[in-house]
Amino acid sequence: MIAKGSRVRHKDKEIDKIKGVMAVLEIKNGYAVCGYSDFERYGKGIETYPLTDLKLGE
């Protein structure tokens, strides 16, 4: 189950190649606000995805 703080990947392989592993910052109304928790990608932008488009990351 995806929860706030989970590490997730996008189910679409093309989007996953670009975005990689993201951290869930907030969940509301079936959507997850995702960003990056590692310093290397900090500030790269925040994306919102439906929870159905995400899977738990490694």
Side-chain angles (χ1 to χ4, degrees), residues 21-33:
V21 178
M22 301 174 283
V24 176
L25 305 174
E26 188 69 41
I27 295 177
K28 194 168 191 177
N29 296 329
Y31 287 85
V33 177

Side-chain angles (χ1 to χ4, degrees), residues 37-54:
S37 58
D38 58 336
F39 187 74
E40 194 174 291
R41 291 185 177 184
Y42 187 76
K44 287 281 186 174
I46 295 174
E47 301 282 338
T48 303
Y49 298 105
L51 288 172
T52 57
D53 289 355
L54 301 174

Side-chain angles (χ1 to χ4, degrees), residues 2 11 19:
I2 297 173
K11 287 181 180 178
K19 298 294 180 180

